[in-house]
Amino acid sequence: QVQLVESGGGLVQPGGSLRLSCAASGFRLDGYTIGWFRQAPGKEREGVSCISSSGGMTYYVDSVKGRFTVSRDNAKNTVYLQMNSLNPEDTAVYSCAAASPGRMLWHACYAEARRYEYWGQGTQVTVSS
């Protein structure tokens, strides 16, 4: 069964850190572009970060550059999103998604959500004092 499962969300104070995990089962993540998306209450879904199948290319939305780091461990079939210096504006449901490079160009990884083949259920990140 093909499945992506996010974990690691929770409640954290401003300035704190969380590491989200995106674990795949039923298929291998190597060979897939992985995107992280978030959706805050009352806002549209936003592409936060992407990592290429090899890990050689990454993308970050401007608001998280320097604070978030995406990485992958293909041996563990898992992609991570390390989130540091969190602020309340980072509060959202974070989801990971996988797309075959053959059906989505790299430059569209943060925007073409409709082209992602597999999606996780999302994990809540709340940044509040």
Side-chain angles (χ1 to χ4, degrees):
Q1 294 178 346
V2 174
Q3 189 175 21
L4 289 173
V5 178
E6 303 95 336
S7 62
L11 175 65
V12 64
Q13 292 184 326
S17 298
L18 288 172
R19 188 176 76 160
L20 305 184
S21 298
C22 174
S25 61
F27 72 108
R28 299 296 305 178
L29 281 182
D30 57 321
Y32 286 86
T33 297
I34 304 298
W36 284 97
F37 296 82
R38 67 185 181 186
Q39 187 164 21
K43 296 184 178 181
E44 297 293 320
R45 182 172 54 194
E46 175 187 39
V48 177
S49 181
C50 312
I51 186 166
S52 62
S53 59
S54 68
M57 295 185 291
T58 58
Y59 161 82
Y60 303 94
V61 68
D62 286 345
S63 61
V64 309
K65 286 181 179 177
R67 301 188 297 118
F68 290 12
T69 303
V70 65
S71 62
R72 65 192 303 159
D73 186 340
N74 286 335
K76 295 182 178 180
N77 220 25
T78 302
V79 173
Y80 305 97
L81 185 67
Q82 179 67 46
M83 306 186 297
N84 299 326
S85 301
L86 287 163
N87 59 64
E89 288 68 48
D90 296 315
T91 295
V93 174
Y94 286 72
S95 301
C96 66
S100 300
R103 64 180 292 164
M104 183 183 68
L105 297 176
W106 166 251
H107 68 82
C109 70
Y110 61 93
E112 294 289 337
R114 66 185 180 89
R115 295 191 179 273
Y116 282 86
E117 301 166 76
Y118 309 117
W119 287 82
Q121 84 289 351
T123 186
Q124 177 70 49
V125 172
T126 302
V127 185
S128 176
S129 59

